[in-house]
PDB file of all heavy atoms in Angstrom:
ATOM      1  N   ARG A 382      -1.407  12.334  10.302  1.00  0.00           N
ATOM      2  CA  ARG A 382      -0.985  11.033  10.799  1.00  0.00           C
ATOM      3  C   ARG A 382      -1.750   9.950  10.049  1.00  0.00           C
ATOM      4  O   ARG A 382      -2.929  10.110   9.727  1.00  0.00           O
ATOM      5  CB  ARG A 382      -1.294  10.888  12.294  1.00  0.00           C
ATOM      6  CG  ARG A 382      -0.519  11.820  13.193  1.00  0.00           C
ATOM      7  CD  ARG A 382       0.866  11.265  13.453  1.00  0.00           C
ATOM      8  NE  ARG A 382       1.522  11.984  14.518  1.00  0.00           N
ATOM      9  CZ  ARG A 382       2.607  12.726  14.352  1.00  0.00           C
ATOM     10  NH1 ARG A 382       3.145  12.851  13.161  1.00  0.00           N
ATOM     11  NH2 ARG A 382       3.152  13.329  15.377  1.00  0.00           N
ATOM     12  N   THR A 424      -5.982   7.565  21.241  1.00  0.00           N
ATOM     13  CA  THR A 424      -6.575   8.778  21.807  1.00  0.00           C
ATOM     14  C   THR A 424      -6.027   9.943  21.000  1.00  0.00           C
ATOM     15  O   THR A 424      -4.960   9.838  20.379  1.00  0.00           O
ATOM     16  CB  THR A 424      -6.197   8.974  23.287  1.00  0.00           C
ATOM     17  OG1 THR A 424      -4.778   9.196  23.367  1.00  0.00           O
ATOM     18  CG2 THR A 424      -6.594   7.783  24.149  1.00  0.00           C
ATOM     19  N   VAL A 425      -6.743  11.040  20.997  1.00  0.00           N
ATOM     20  CA  VAL A 425      -6.297  12.216  20.249  1.00  0.00           C
ATOM     21  C   VAL A 425      -4.905  12.640  20.717  1.00  0.00           C
ATOM     22  O   VAL A 425      -4.025  12.946  19.906  1.00  0.00           O
ATOM     23  CB  VAL A 425      -7.310  13.374  20.392  1.00  0.00           C
ATOM     24  CG1 VAL A 425      -6.753  14.667  19.814  1.00  0.00           C
ATOM     25  CG2 VAL A 425      -8.625  13.010  19.719  1.00  0.00           C
ATOM     26  N   GLU A 426      -4.679  12.622  22.023  1.00  0.00           N
ATOM     27  CA  GLU A 426      -3.387  13.065  22.571  1.00  0.00           C
ATOM     28  C   GLU A 426      -2.237  12.185  22.094  1.00  0.00           C
ATOM     29  O   GLU A 426      -1.180  12.694  21.701  1.00  0.00           O
ATOM     30  CB  GLU A 426      -3.438  13.069  24.111  1.00  0.00           C
ATOM     31  CG  GLU A 426      -4.418  14.073  24.700  1.00  0.00           C
ATOM     32  CD  GLU A 426      -5.881  13.606  24.619  1.00  0.00           C
ATOM     33  OE1 GLU A 426      -6.143  12.388  24.514  1.00  0.00           O
ATOM     34  OE2 GLU A 426      -6.760  14.482  24.648  1.00  0.00           O
ATOM     35  N   GLU A 427      -2.435  10.856  22.099  1.00  0.00           N
ATOM     36  CA  GLU A 427      -1.366   9.952  21.659  1.00  0.00           C
ATOM     37  C   GLU A 427      -1.098  10.084  20.162  1.00  0.00           C
ATOM     38  O   GLU A 427       0.055  10.059  19.731  1.00  0.00           O
ATOM     39  CB  GLU A 427      -1.717   8.503  22.007  1.00  0.00           C
ATOM     40  CG  GLU A 427      -1.584   8.200  23.483  1.00  0.00           C
ATOM     41  CD  GLU A 427      -1.917   6.766  23.801  1.00  0.00           C
ATOM     42  OE1 GLU A 427      -3.049   6.333  23.481  1.00  0.00           O
ATOM     43  OE2 GLU A 427      -1.049   6.082  24.346  1.00  0.00           O
ATOM     44  N   VAL A 428      -2.153  10.213  19.385  1.00  0.00           N
ATOM     45  CA  VAL A 428      -1.990  10.356  17.932  1.00  0.00           C
ATOM     46  C   VAL A 428      -1.253  11.649  17.614  1.00  0.00           C
ATOM     47  O   VAL A 428      -0.373  11.684  16.744  1.00  0.00           O
ATOM     48  CB  VAL A 428      -3.358  10.290  17.218  1.00  0.00           C
ATOM     49  CG1 VAL A 428      -3.224  10.694  15.758  1.00  0.00           C
ATOM     50  CG2 VAL A 428      -3.949   8.898  17.333  1.00  0.00           C
ATOM     51  N   ARG A 429      -1.577  12.718  18.312  1.00  0.00           N
ATOM     52  CA  ARG A 429      -0.895  13.990  18.073  1.00  0.00           C
ATOM     53  C   ARG A 429       0.564  13.936  18.519  1.00  0.00           C
ATOM     54  O   ARG A 429       1.431  14.568  17.927  1.00  0.00           O
ATOM     55  CB  ARG A 429      -1.613  15.124  18.796  1.00  0.00           C
ATOM     56  CG  ARG A 429      -2.945  15.502  18.152  1.00  0.00           C
ATOM     57  CD  ARG A 429      -3.653  16.641  18.880  1.00  0.00           C
ATOM     58  NE  ARG A 429      -2.803  17.813  19.043  1.00  0.00           N
ATOM     59  CZ  ARG A 429      -2.592  18.739  18.113  1.00  0.00           C
ATOM     60  NH1 ARG A 429      -3.155  18.630  16.945  1.00  0.00           N
ATOM     61  NH2 ARG A 429      -1.815  19.773  18.365  1.00  0.00           N
ATOM     62  N   ALA A 430       0.874  13.162  19.566  1.00  0.00           N
ATOM     63  CA  ALA A 430       2.221  13.129  20.143  1.00  0.00           C
ATOM     64  C   ALA A 430       3.234  12.387  19.272  1.00  0.00           C
ATOM     65  O   ALA A 430       4.394  12.775  19.202  1.00  0.00           O
ATOM     66  CB  ALA A 430       2.178  12.501  21.531  1.00  0.00           C
ATOM     67  N   ARG A 431       2.803  11.323  18.592  1.00  0.00           N
ATOM     68  CA  ARG A 431       3.761  10.520  17.822  1.00  0.00           C
ATOM     69  C   ARG A 431       3.029   9.625  16.830  1.00  0.00           C
ATOM     70  O   ARG A 431       1.863   9.323  16.999  1.00  0.00           O
ATOM     71  CB  ARG A 431       4.623   9.680  18.751  1.00  0.00           C
ATOM     72  CG  ARG A 431       3.850   8.632  19.530  1.00  0.00           C
ATOM     73  CD  ARG A 431       4.699   8.022  20.645  1.00  0.00           C
ATOM     74  NE  ARG A 431       3.905   7.322  21.609  1.00  0.00           N
ATOM     75  CZ  ARG A 431       3.156   7.853  22.557  1.00  0.00           C
ATOM     76  NH1 ARG A 431       3.086   9.162  22.669  1.00  0.00           N
ATOM     77  NH2 ARG A 431       2.461   7.112  23.394  1.00  0.00           N
ATOM     78  N   GLN A 432       3.745   9.191  15.835  1.00  0.00           N
ATOM     79  CA  GLN A 432       3.178   8.259  14.862  1.00  0.00           C
ATOM     80  C   GLN A 432       3.097   6.874  15.497  1.00  0.00           C
ATOM     81  O   GLN A 432       4.082   6.361  16.000  1.00  0.00           O
ATOM     82  CB  GLN A 432       4.042   8.201  13.602  1.00  0.00           C
ATOM     83  CG  GLN A 432       3.474   7.320  12.510  1.00  0.00           C
ATOM     84  CD  GLN A 432       2.174   7.847  11.930  1.00  0.00           C
ATOM     85  OE1 GLN A 432       2.120   8.961  11.431  1.00  0.00           O
ATOM     86  NE2 GLN A 432       1.137   7.057  11.989  1.00  0.00           N
TER      87      GLN A 432
END
Side-chain angles (χ1 to χ4, degrees):
R382 294 279 192 245
T424 65
V425 171
E426 295 77 22
E427 286 181 302
V428 169
R429 288 180 54 82
R431 65 192 164 284
Q432 184 66 58

